Amino acid sequence: IKKYDLDHINYLKIDTEGHEINILESYSWSIKPDLIKIEHAHIDDIYAKSLLEAHGYLVYTETSDIYAII
């Protein structure tokens, strides 16, 4: 984000085979993506949902994916 001087993120997809929570917990949230899609096959989807909701997202969980909309 700093390297490319970004001020807005439209869409963020996270599919890192079990490391999604690490990414969410370490992200600064200085820029909140409009839409986030996360595969939750290898993580606690309830915890991931609560993390996203804590940052103001409306969260929908499907069979394999979580969608978060600001």
Side-chain angles (χ1 to χ4, degrees):
I1 291 171
K2 288 181 182 181
K3 180 178 178 179
Y4 294 104
D5 195 29
L6 298 178
D7 62 3
H8 187 86
I9 299 172
N10 295 318
Y11 176 70
L12 174 65
K13 180 179 178 184
I14 305 172
D15 182 356
T16 54
E17 304 305 319
H19 299 282
E20 292 83 0
I21 295 294
N22 297 336
I23 292 167
L24 292 175
E25 289 178 333
S26 64
Y27 185 64
S28 73
W29 299 102
S30 59
I31 297 174
K32 293 184 179 181
D34 297 331
L35 172 63
I36 301 173
K37 179 180 178 184
I38 302 169
E39 180 194 36
H40 68 80
H42 307 288
I43 63 169
D44 180 348
D45 60 325
I46 295 170
Y47 180 63
K49 181 179 187 245
S50 70
L51 283 174
L52 293 163
E53 288 174 338
H55 289 285
Y57 284 88
L58 179 61
V59 181
Y60 300 94
T61 304
E62 292 186 342
T63 303
S64 299
D65 297 307
I66 296 172
Y67 296 89
I69 302 165
I70 197 74

